[in-house]
């Protein structure tokens, strides 16, 4: 077994580098690290392919409510910038969440996904290792399971059938991390997140769009017949899994982080209708290329080695997200963001 029962301890004066700190999951992880007393240095390029900079700055303001954090505006592909970052800051480990996410945009600009997600990760690992940093928690995705016919998806399944450029970029990234870890004996947790939702969720993701449109009385698009299914994971559960993996990983180890319950798209829409208190006008659309029919995480390994235990039921998580969204100011800003 790769994990120690004893939690890894970092030197008190050193900081944890969180990449993608202005994003949905990065801002939540950085806040949690600050809350438990870690020093954090953040890195983000404020990429605007999926959503705009103003929302990312808003995420960062929320992080700063939990403690001081220096956020460096930098591309993870910038090798010189990374080298200088590791020279200027005493970094004990890296929580690497910066990436281009999302299946659909990856079909439009696949090269950008390969650059950021594969080359960017390789550059980050090289700069960190040169500076003596040995500990990483790195975001991968359930998308790597691609055409996998067997559910639930287990970390031991062969993942050789990505069905979108995004999935290929994450699968390629995993191989880069594995080869790096075998050469430099780094401790790296590869974390396969299963559809994450909650406050500050990316506005291009289904739950965010559905809530906003249903509340505004606008139609929503349902791709396929509504029977496609996802293992939805609340942000607090993901954050707990990321921190546990960061603290405990030894060697290079892959972990599924899922929500432990799977619902169909139709059931999800019904839950959102109930939480928002309005019926949805549903426009049926063809299933999109790159979309998986089902995702379902096998959590045995994460439970055994990380004590990972997702706590949040879908309805509770949706209510918490809706509470966040209802804030008038947030709504206005998201409308402006289109
Ligand atoms: N949200 C999910 O459901 C989900 C599911 C599986 C995996 N993931 C992975 O989790 C991580 C975080 O996802 P998220 O939903 O918070 O997305 P996000 O877009 O909100 O956050 C990613 C952040 O990375 C930054 N970024 C993009 N390209 C960069 C670059 N070249 N250099 C530096 N920063 C860059 C973006 O500006 C953004 O702030 C990503 O690796 C994503 O692939 C997310």
């Amino acid at each position: 077994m790769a994990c120690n029962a004893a939690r890894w301890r970092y030197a008190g004066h050193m900081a944890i580098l969180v990449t993608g700190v202005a994003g949905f999951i990065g801002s939540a992880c950085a806040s949690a690290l600050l809350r438990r007393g870690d020093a954090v240095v953040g890195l983000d390029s404020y990429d605007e392919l999926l959503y705009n900079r103003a929302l990312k700055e808003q995420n960062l303001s929320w992080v700063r409510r939990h403690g001081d954090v220096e956020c460096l505006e930098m591309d993870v592909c910038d090798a010189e910038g990374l080298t200088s970052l590791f020279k200027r800051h005493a970094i004990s480990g890296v929580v690497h969440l910066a990436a281009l996410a999302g299946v659909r945009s990856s079909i439009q600009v696949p090269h950008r996904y390969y650059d950021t997600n594969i080359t960017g990760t390789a550059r980050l690992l090289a700069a960190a290792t040169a500076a003596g940093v040995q500990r990483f928690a790195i975001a991968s995705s359930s998308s790597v399971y691609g055409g996998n016919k067997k559910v639930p998806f287990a970390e031991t399944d062969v993942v050789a059938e990505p069905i979108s450029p995004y999935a290929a970029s994450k699968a390629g990234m995993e191989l880069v991390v594995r080869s790096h870890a075998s050469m430099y004996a780094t401790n790296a947790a590869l974390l396969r997140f299963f559809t994450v939702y909650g406050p500050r969720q990316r506005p291009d993701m289904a739950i965010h769009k559905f809530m906003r449109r249903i509340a505004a009385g606008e139609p929503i698009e349902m791709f396929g017949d509504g029977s496609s299914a996802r293992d939805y994971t609340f942000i607090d559960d993901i954050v707990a899994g990321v921190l546990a993996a960061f603290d405990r990983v030894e060697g290079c180890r892959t972990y599924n982080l899922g929500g432990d319950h799977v619902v169909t798209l139709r059931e999800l829409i019904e839950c959102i209708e109930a939480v928002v208190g309005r019926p949805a006008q549903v426009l049926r659309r063809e299933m999109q290329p790159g979309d998986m029919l089902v995702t379902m995480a096998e959590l045995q390994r994460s439970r055994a080695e990380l004590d990972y235990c997702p706590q949040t039921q879908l309805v509770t998580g949706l209510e918490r997200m809706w509470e966040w969204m209802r804030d008038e100011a947030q709504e206005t800003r998201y409308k402006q963001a289109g």
Side-chain angles (χ1 to χ4, degrees):
M1 174 158 117
C3 288
N4 232 333
R7 273 168 52 115
W8 169 80
R9 297 277 171 203
Y10 53 90
H13 63 286
M14 296 178 96
I16 295 168
L17 174 66
V18 177
T19 73
V21 69
F24 164 43
I25 301 172
S27 58
C29 287
S31 302
L33 287 167
L34 290 169
R35 282 198 298 271
R36 75 175 197 181
D38 284 304
V40 172
V41 170
L43 176 159
D44 205 294
S45 66
Y46 300 93
D47 189 278
E48 294 204 305
L49 179 69
L50 297 176
Y51 60 107
N52 66 33
R53 183 180 182 116
L55 294 181
K56 297 185 180 190
E57 285 175 349
Q58 231 169 281
N59 290 342
L60 216 45
S61 308
W62 176 74
V63 173
R64 291 197 165 110
R65 284 194 219 159
H66 302 97
D68 280 343
V69 53
E70 185 178 354
C71 182
L72 307 160
E73 182 164 355
M74 191 186 292
D75 193 313
V76 278
C77 295
D78 176 358
E80 279 179 23
L82 288 167
T83 301
S84 131
L85 183 160
F86 283 104
K87 277 193 184 137
R88 281 183 291 117
H89 296 271
I91 301 293
S92 60
V94 183
V95 175
H96 178 40
L97 302 165
L100 289 179
V103 166
R104 291 189 191 142
S105 311
S106 79
I107 298 168
Q108 312 306 319
V109 283
H111 58 284
R112 290 213 53 210
Y113 280 70
Y114 299 136
D115 286 350
T116 294
N117 298 358
I118 302 178
T119 306
T121 302
R123 294 222 155 113
L124 176 72
L125 289 169
T129 300
V133 177
Q134 288 280 65
R135 179 158 296 272
F136 301 86
I138 299 178
S140 184
S141 168
S142 59
S143 299
V144 299
Y145 290 108
N148 202 353
K149 300 283 182 297
K150 169 197 146 284
V151 288
F153 300 156
E155 293 90 341
T156 46
D157 294 348
V158 175
V159 290
E161 289 183 53
I163 60 169
S164 69
Y166 173 60
S169 75
K170 287 292 184 181
M173 182 275 297
E174 287 195 0
L175 291 176
V176 166
V177 175
R178 289 209 160 274
S179 75
H180 188 91
S182 83
M183 284 186 297
Y184 301 103
T186 47
N187 300 307
L190 287 163
L191 303 172
R192 293 178 179 164
F193 300 159
F194 284 65
T195 318
V196 190
Y197 73 101
R200 284 165 293 282
Q201 191 196 40
R202 299 198 324 263
D204 61 298
M205 294 187 73
I207 295 182
H208 190 134
K209 275 195 206 160
F210 288 174
M211 277 190 175
R212 196 155 37 103
R213 292 196 179 146
I214 292 172
E218 293 166 3
I220 60 169
E221 293 183 306
M222 183 177 81
F223 296 100
D225 63 3
S227 65
S228 63
R230 292 282 175 280
D231 192 341
Y232 292 100
T233 318
F234 191 65
I235 184 68
D236 292 4
D237 291 322
I238 285 291
V239 168
V242 172
L243 268 52
F246 179 78
D247 288 341
R248 296 179 184 203
V249 68
E250 283 186 13
C252 187
R253 197 81 172 140
T254 305
Y255 295 102
N256 284 340
L257 296 181
D260 205 22
H261 51 260
V262 174
V263 297
T264 65
L265 184 52
R266 195 170 284 289
E267 287 165 338
L268 173 75
I269 293 170
E270 284 167 11
C271 281
I272 296 176
E273 287 175 321
V275 167
V276 172
R278 286 186 81 152
Q281 301 167 46
V282 179
L283 304 174
R284 287 275 301 269
R285 301 280 187 242
E286 289 293 305
M287 203 63 189
Q288 297 278 290
D291 276 355
M292 292 158 79
L293 283 176
V294 63
T295 66
M296 186 190 292
E298 160 67 64
L299 294 178
Q300 218 175 326
R301 179 186 290 182
S302 306
R303 284 190 204 284
E305 300 182 12
L306 305 178
D307 288 328
Y308 176 70
C309 182
Q311 311 269 344
T312 318
Q313 293 301 310
L314 184 67
V315 173
T316 311
L318 290 175
E319 282 168 354
R320 289 196 36 203
M321 181 165 168
W322 175 233
E323 215 173 284
W324 164 76
M325 266 197 147
R326 253 183 330 193
D327 178 300
E328 201 58 45
Q330 294 277 16
E331 271 192 38
T332 313
R333 288 192 191 103
Y334 276 100
K335 269 186 205 140
Q336 284 166 352

